[in-house]
Every structure is written in structure tokens, then in C-alpha cells.
Amino acid sequence: MVIILLFNSLNYLIFLPLVFTMFILTNSKYRWLILLIASYYFYMSWNPAYILLIVISTIISYLTALKMGKISEKADRKPYLYMSLFLNLGLLFIFKYYNFFNDSLTHYLSLPMYLPTFDLLLPVGISFYTFQALSYTIDVYRSTKEPEKHFGIYALYVSFFPQLVAGPIERSTHLLPQFREKYKFNYGKTVSGLRLILWGFFLKLAIADNVAPIVNAIYNNVHDYTGAPLIIATIFFAYQIFCDFAGYSYIAIGSARILGFDLMDNFKSPYMSRSFSEFWRRWHISLSTWFRDYLYIPLGGNRVSKLRHSLNLFIVFLVSGLWHGANWTFIIWGGIHGAYLVVENTIMQLLNGKELKSNIFLDILKVMVVFSFVSFAWIFFRANDISDALYVCTHLFTGIFSTPASEVLEKFYSLGFGAYLFLKIVGSIAILEFVHLMQITRFGKCNALKTYARWPIYYFLIFWILLNGAFQSNEFIYFQF
């Protein structure tokens, strides 16, 4: 029997040290093989059959890159680039988007098309490893990366288990060379990795999994609520989606760091952003930079007319929304963020690029405004369908001032959520925001603290997780993307 290896499970806490032990005891010449076997086993713990998709994607991008590497003229490399794009994106389309587009064409557009539907499970992480393989192919086409001739090492790049199912989406120019470097144990790097894993567990167990039951209870029955419960559920989801995804990223980066590999940062205190453009420099960085380098810039970026620039931004965010899921709610979510950036850029152009003189009160106001608008967009991301999302939008402030607080509390108590749950959620979020404040100040470097100051922090986080964490081994939200 294959055991599912969720990061937030005891199984993974056994798996990672076992892989690390085998890794350091193996001859450096064959360490890639240990990691490749571990990565394939890690992925097969969800659905063994879908490992074939990773292997097929790996073979396609590996062979097309080899062919491009033998061709000097860029124009002559295009057929192999198109072949890789078509085949890889074709697999992604069939498993993730075919039924969505089929239903949309037949129902929303009322077209006389009756194509068969496929009863397929969405392969875990298919969007992540597909984009990672595509970035390698495009890099080789652009001659910014030499083709990797060692198939095993390239297969490891596509399937490296810490970031396989939910990123960060690594670039071949950054990760591939690391698999050829000789491993040397580094105490500082190992401690740093463990610290990131601990912080990831705090985000996932103490915040994301604690707010999830409240968010699910309300958003799965939105028509039973108005006003305050919808606002609370929306704000809680903003923290759930961040802590769930960032928690995964920190555990992934920490796990890789213990093994001697550096993965790119994926989050940098995004809810401290003072503008929407800053938010997207801090949120899901590996995806936003992927779209910047492989879609936004090829479309012309900002080196075009103002109207075309706005269109480029809107296209990128619509595609980003579609990347997240085969549902119109995700596309609308992406469109909303595209609109935010277009409006923001327009305002900056009217101000001739000059921002208002910064001060702490204005910065706090900017952070609150950005967080509020980002949270509003999350409504469409979380809602089960467009109808539910529109209901939440139109009833968000209904009775907000006329409904007694006791009645709001009674609604939550009727769902089984007591005061203690709210207190530990608020307490955990307060710790998170305190850390974010420290990270954007000169006190943000934990390494700068003396040992006697760091260890009490570690013990406090461990104690808080054990006391207030939710230990149901819930899957991470981004596994569905």
C-alpha cells in the first residue's frame, strides 16, 4: 500500500529524514538517482498511474530541447519549440480544461456541439510541472540555457519532490546546475531549512486549517448568511489561502535547503503591500515572474502604447486566472486583478509617476485599501460558482450596522465554532502580522539574533502549534491547480 505523503503529515516527517540519510550516504555520482526515485515515489503516493504524465512531459521537453540545441538558427528551432508547447499544453488541456471548455461552448454559448466528456481526475500539480518543463524548453530556444544531456538529472528537475506538486515553479537556469554540484553539509543551511519548515507548519496548522472549517461552512451555504458572517469568512479566506499556500512553499523551500538546494522565494509578506503591483511582486512570485518572462514581455510588456500595455496586463491576468482552475470564477478573479493594475497604472500616469509623500499613516491606509480590494477579489476565487460569488458581493454589507453582535455570534455558535477557536485564530494571525512587520524592518533577520534569543522563538512556535494547531492532515489548496 502506498502512503500519501502530505507535508503536514507524520508520514512526511519520516520520509524526509529517510531521503536525507540515503542521500548523504550515497556516492555523489548517484545522488541524483536517490532523489529521482524519492520524487517519483512521492508523486505516486497520490495516484501511481499519473506518473506517466510526468514521464511523458519530461521526455517531450528533453528531446525537443536536445534537437534545438543542435540548431544554430533561432528560426529553425521554432518547430521543436511549438512541438513541445503543443504536446505539453495539450496534456494540460485534456486533463484540466477540456470538460470546462466543452461545457462552456455547449451551455453558455448554446452552440450545437455535443462532444463527449471525460471522467478524469485532475493530476496533482500538473500545472506546476508543466510550466516548469515549458520554461526549460523556452530557455533552450532562446539560448539562455544549454540543453541538459543527462536525462536522469533533467527528469529530477521536472519532478524534484519538495516543489513538485505546488511549486515554487523553478527555472532551469537556477535549479538544474545545482543537481551537478557536490553536496557539502552546511549547518547554517540545515538550520535555516528547519526554521522554514517550522514556519510553514505554523502557517498551515495554526492558521489555514483552523479557519478552513469556518470558511467552508459559510461559503458552501452563502445564501444562509448576510453581512458580518460573509465579511468574516472572506477575511478568513484571505488568510487561509495565503497561509495554506505560503505554508507549503516554506516547507518545500526548507526541505530542499536541508538537502543542499536553494529554491526561489515564493512569498514576501504580500498583505503588507501598498499597491497592487507591489502585491504581485510579493505573491506567488514564481508564477508571476513566469508570466512576466514568458507571456507579458513577449506580448510587448510596457514597451508599447498605453492602450496595448493595459491590454497586455489584462491578458496576462486572465490567463493567470485560467491557470488556477477550469472555472469562470477563476477567470473573473484574474480579470479583477488585471483591472486593478490597469486602474492603478492609469492613476500613476495622471500623477506623472509621482507618488504621494510617504508617511506611516498613509502607508497603513494604503495597506488596508490593497488588502480590502484583494480580499474582495478572493470572493470569486473561493465561491463555488458565479451565482454564489455575486450573492456574497451584493450581501456583504447587508445589515452590517443593524444586526446585533449577539446574533452574529449565535450564527457561528450554531455551526459549532466557539469563542476559543476565534481566539486562537486571532492570536495566530496576530503572530503572523507581527512577524511580517519584523520582516519589513531591520529586525527581520532571524539569523541576526543571538542563539539564546532564537531558541525561545522556536520553542514558542512549537508550543503554539501543538496547543492550537489542527492536525487532520488536510490537503493543501493549491494541489487542485
Side-chain angles (χ1 to χ4, degrees):
M1 183 180 67
V2 180
I3 301 173
I4 294 179
L5 294 169
L6 290 170
F7 275 0
N8 54 323
S9 69
L10 180 62
N11 299 330
Y12 185 76
L13 294 180
I14 297 172
F15 173 79
L16 181 60
L18 182 61
V19 172
F20 175 76
T21 302
M22 296 174 65
F23 177 75
I24 61 175
L25 293 178
T26 302
N27 186 292
S28 59
K29 187 177 180 181
Y30 302 105
R31 281 175 177 163
W32 66 268
L33 182 58
I34 296 297
L35 293 180
L36 182 61
I37 293 172
S39 298
Y40 278 4
Y41 177 82
F42 180 87
Y43 191 78
M44 291 171 67
S45 71
W46 276 276
N47 191 322
Y50 282 160
I51 194 66
L52 291 174
L53 295 178
I54 293 183
V55 173
I56 291 171
S57 179
T58 301
I59 293 173
I60 291 169
S61 50
Y62 173 77
L63 292 178
T64 52
L66 282 182
K67 293 295 292 185
M68 286 190 288
K70 297 176 182 178
I71 301 171
S72 57
E73 294 295 325
K74 191 174 182 179
D76 295 334
R77 294 197 290 266
K78 280 188 177 179
Y80 296 101
L81 171 66
Y82 294 154
M83 183 185 300
S84 178
L85 293 175
F86 176 78
L87 294 175
N88 277 295
L89 291 176
L91 288 174
L92 181 62
F93 177 82
I94 290 171
F95 281 88
K96 188 170 182 177
Y97 300 109
Y98 172 81
N99 287 340
F100 166 68
F101 279 101
N102 186 19
D103 291 342
S104 297
L105 289 172
T106 55
H107 293 95
Y108 289 102
L109 300 181
S110 300
L111 294 180
M113 300 173 61
Y114 300 97
L115 299 176
T117 57
F118 298 142
D119 186 17
L120 297 172
L121 290 175
L122 179 65
V124 174
I126 187 170
S127 296
F128 288 91
Y129 67 73
T130 298
F131 268 40
Q132 189 148 311
L134 289 180
S135 69
Y136 165 76
T137 308
I138 297 171
D139 288 342
V140 172
Y141 165 75
R142 293 175 173 175
S143 299
T144 56
K145 179 75 180 75
E146 288 294 317
E148 175 56 60
K149 294 180 172 59
H150 193 299
F151 178 76
I153 289 180
Y154 176 70
L156 177 58
Y157 160 74
V158 175
S159 63
F160 188 40
F161 75 86
Q163 42 89 226
L164 171 58
V165 294
I169 303 171
E170 276 293 338
R171 308 298 178 81
S172 60
T173 51
H174 179 236
L175 184 58
L176 258 174
Q178 295 185 54
F179 293 132
R180 292 189 174 277
E181 294 175 3
K182 189 172 182 179
Y183 171 79
K184 292 181 181 179
F185 178 78
N186 185 304
Y187 175 79
K189 203 174 225 184
T190 303
V191 171
S192 174
L194 291 171
R195 183 164 57 240
L196 288 173
I197 291 174
L198 176 61
W199 184 240
F201 279 135
F202 171 80
L203 296 181
K204 173 64 174 172
L205 300 176
I207 301 179
D209 286 354
N210 271 325
V211 301
I214 298 175
V215 173
N216 293 339
I218 294 176
Y219 263 89
N220 289 338
N221 302 278
V222 293
H223 295 275
D224 295 338
Y225 304 93
T226 59
L230 294 178
I231 293 175
I232 293 171
T234 300
I235 293 174
F236 276 3
F237 179 71
Y239 281 100
Q240 180 194 0
I241 188 71
F242 166 69
C243 294
D244 193 278
F245 192 18
Y248 180 95
S249 294
Y250 283 120
I251 297 171
I253 296 168
S255 298
R257 192 168 293 180
I258 289 173
L259 293 166
F261 303 100
D262 288 318
L263 302 180
M264 69 182 297
D265 291 335
N266 217 16
F267 292 91
K268 292 183 178 179
S269 310
Y271 291 152
M272 290 293 174
S273 302
R274 293 165 295 178
S275 67
F276 299 109
S277 55
E278 182 183 356
F279 174 80
W280 282 103
R281 291 194 298 270
R282 294 172 174 270
W283 177 277
H284 202 174
I285 300 168
S286 64
L287 180 67
S288 58
T289 54
W290 196 101
F291 277 118
R292 179 197 66 196
D293 295 342
Y294 299 112
L295 182 58
Y296 175 69
I297 292 177
L299 285 173
N302 60 0
R303 304 183 309 276
V304 292
S305 67
K306 293 178 181 179
L307 181 61
R308 179 58 190 272
H309 179 219
S310 296
L311 180 61
N312 289 345
L313 283 172
F314 207 69
I315 290 172
V316 167
F317 278 93
L318 286 177
V319 175
S320 174
L322 184 61
W323 178 90
H324 280 83
N327 195 313
W328 284 104
T329 54
F330 294 115
I331 297 174
I332 293 172
W333 169 80
I336 290 172
H337 274 282
Y340 287 166
L341 285 169
V342 169
V343 171
E344 181 178 275
N345 284 346
T346 302
I347 294 173
M348 291 303 297
Q349 289 166 8
L350 293 174
L351 295 173
N352 294 320
K354 296 179 181 179
E355 294 189 26
L356 297 174
K357 189 174 181 180
S358 180
N359 61 69
I360 188 170
F361 299 107
L362 183 59
D363 286 345
I364 292 173
L365 179 61
K366 287 179 179 179
V367 168
M368 292 174 64
V369 169
V370 171
F371 177 77
S372 298
F373 277 89
V374 168
S375 297
F376 175 80
W378 284 132
I379 292 172
F380 288 87
F381 195 97
R382 174 57 184 87
N384 295 325
D385 51 44
I386 295 175
S387 175
D388 282 3
L390 292 176
Y391 176 86
V392 175
C393 293
T394 54
H395 292 78
L396 205 57
F397 299 104
T398 300
I400 188 67
F401 297 111
S402 59
T403 305
S406 58
E407 186 176 323
V408 175
L409 291 174
E410 188 177 335
K411 284 236 179 194
F412 284 104
Y413 292 152
S414 67
L415 293 171
F417 305 128
Y420 176 69
L421 175 60
F422 278 92
L423 285 175
K424 66 181 183 180
I425 288 173
V426 171
S428 298
I429 291 176
I431 293 171
L432 167 67
E433 295 300 353
F434 175 78
V435 171
H436 281 174
L437 282 172
M438 293 298 99
Q439 287 176 339
I440 61 176
T441 66
R442 62 189 180 89
F443 301 104
K445 299 291 185 182
C446 192
N447 283 332
L449 298 174
K450 298 293 185 183
T451 302
Y452 63 80
R454 293 201 305 267
W455 279 99
I457 296 174
Y458 302 155
Y459 285 126
F460 171 78
L461 284 178
I462 293 172
F463 173 76
W464 189 274
I465 293 169
L466 292 175
L467 183 65
N468 299 309
F471 295 94
Q472 293 85 17
S473 294
N474 295 319
E475 284 194 359
F476 291 81
I477 294 174
Y478 265 67
F479 281 11
Q480 63 186 290
F481 306 137

